Amino acid sequence: AQRATALNPEDPLAFVLEGELHEALGDLEAAEQAYRRADSLDPTEDTSTRLERVRERVRFLALPVEYRGISSLEVITRGDLAALVGVRLGEILEETAGAEQTIIITDTRDHWANLWVLSVTQSGVMRVDAGYRFEPDRTVRRGGFAEVVAAVLDLIEKIDPGRVRHWREARPYFSDMNAGHLNYRSAARAVSAGVFQTLEDNTFQPTRAVGGQEAVTAVDRLVALAREAM
């Protein structure tokens, strides 16, 4: 493949082939270079997709090993969730964060996700308690996750007010939560927006622990909503 690109450096298909081989062998840097060259010669949806895929893999592998293992966790923590939201929704957090707000946190300085804890608290998506503790090792439950989802929807609403108004007004029925429940409004918005699903017998189960794949799926849906709004 390299011989082909050397003989004809203007052939995008040869660079695509070279990129495929580098990618299959795990040399992502070389694959990115080959795809970038192919895209510069003949920019198509295919070359753009290949280039973005490799760049996403490079970004993913540069993240802490704890982050890369989130999807396989049986139960996630607040630190895991902060990292997941901070990485995947970083653009919208930065765009809507209050730069003048100083957040004091006493228990995450040495935590692997501290950078993203600062991001999600600065934006108001997640909060510290009265003692300025974030509790990064505390288990995330569906009710608490729904509060985070609702906070992200608030940020999306700042960018595109008309998009999320009907989710705010929705009042779905849950067999295990009435409208007076602490988590009801957030759960209602999360379900109405399609970020969460109701469970068996139309329950929400606010105290059930959240697993890694469930969290990743929910954040993926938030990312899609944010991209539509931006």
Side-chain angles (χ1 to χ4, degrees), residues 17 77 94 171 226 228:
L17 175 59
T77 65
E94 291 176 8
R171 296 292 183 269
E228 290 173 5

Side-chain angles (χ1 to χ4, degrees), residues 109-132:
R109 178 177 298 176
D110 297 322
H111 194 276
W112 68 268
N114 182 54
L115 175 65
W116 298 293
V117 170
L118 294 174
S119 177
V120 296
T121 53
Q122 180 74 26
S123 63
V125 168
M126 298 179 75
R127 302 184 183 278
V128 296
D129 64 17
Y132 305 109

Side-chain angles (χ1 to χ4, degrees), residues 55-145:
R55 285 173 173 169
E56 183 62 31
R57 288 181 63 189
V58 170
R59 288 192 291 266
F60 180 77
L61 291 174
L63 292 166
V65 64
E66 293 90 346
Y67 178 91
R68 302 201 302 271
I70 288 176
S71 63
S72 63
L73 294 176
E74 185 175 345
V75 175
I76 67 165
T77 65
R78 279 171 55 81
D80 297 327
L81 181 57
L84 192 58
V85 172
V87 170
R88 299 297 314 284
L89 291 158
E91 185 177 353
I92 193 172
L93 297 187
E94 291 176 8
E95 184 167 331
T96 56
E100 74 285 351
Q101 187 178 13
T102 300
I103 303 296
I104 299 173
I105 307 174
T106 61
D107 60 349
T108 62
R109 178 177 298 176
D110 297 322
H111 194 276
W112 68 268
N114 182 54
L115 175 65
W116 298 293
V117 170
L118 294 174
S119 177
V120 296
T121 53
Q122 180 74 26
S123 63
V125 168
M126 298 179 75
R127 302 184 183 278
V128 296
D129 64 17
Y132 305 109
R133 293 180 297 268
F134 184 80
E135 298 184 279
D137 296 322
R138 177 154 60 90
T139 295
V140 172
R141 303 189 183 279
R142 277 171 60 89
F145 198 166

Side-chain angles (χ1 to χ4, degrees), residues 15 18-19 28-39 51 54:
F15 283 101
E18 182 182 341
L28 299 181
E29 182 178 351
E32 181 181 358
Q33 291 176 354
Y35 288 146
R36 186 167 61 245
R37 176 61 176 163
D39 193 60
L51 189 55
V54 169

